[in-house]
Amino acid sequence: MRTGSEPSTARSPLRMRLSLSVWGMLWAVFGLTAFLWAGRPGWATACGVLLAVTVTDFCLVLRHIRQGPHYQPGRDIPPYEPDRGGQPGRRDR
């Protein structure tokens, strides 16, 4: 059940995802160059695919961060009433 304090106590994982995607990009670039230098094209391809995934995640996380916070009700909005299974506007017969 909602308590009504969720908007003020919620934390976004976007900055953590941003740092993890940067960390993943660094390791994928290192692996890609190391495996290319060692002559292992299969592993280099795997690191290249991982690099593409981490770059995509990085771009999406940056986009979400730039969009800013979304609307959340303020402290003056009471918590939602719990759903009791009935349909609103309909009387029981």
Side-chain angles (χ1 to χ4, degrees):
M1 184 170 123
R2 286 187 42 122
T3 63
S5 66
E6 288 86 357
S8 62
T9 59
R11 298 289 180 254
S12 173
L14 289 177
R15 297 212 185 273
M16 181 180 65
R17 273 183 59 192
L18 186 69
S19 62
L20 288 174
S21 64
V22 168
W23 183 252
M25 282 191 291
L26 291 174
W27 276 105
V29 167
F30 173 74
L32 179 65
T33 55
F35 286 125
L36 282 175
W37 185 72
R40 307 285 286 213
W43 284 104
T45 303
C47 287
V49 169
L50 181 63
L51 180 63
V53 169
T54 56
V55 166
T56 303
D57 185 51
F58 179 80
C59 293
L60 289 175
V61 169
L62 275 182
R63 180 175 176 259
H64 286 294
I65 288 174
R66 287 184 182 151
Q67 284 178 345
H70 297 290
Y71 171 74
Q72 293 290 330
R75 293 181 186 268
D76 56 337
I77 306 295
Y80 298 128
E81 287 292 323
D83 184 19
R84 296 196 177 16
Q87 294 179 353
R90 182 177 173 188
R91 288 190 264 177
D92 293 326
R93 296 179 192 181

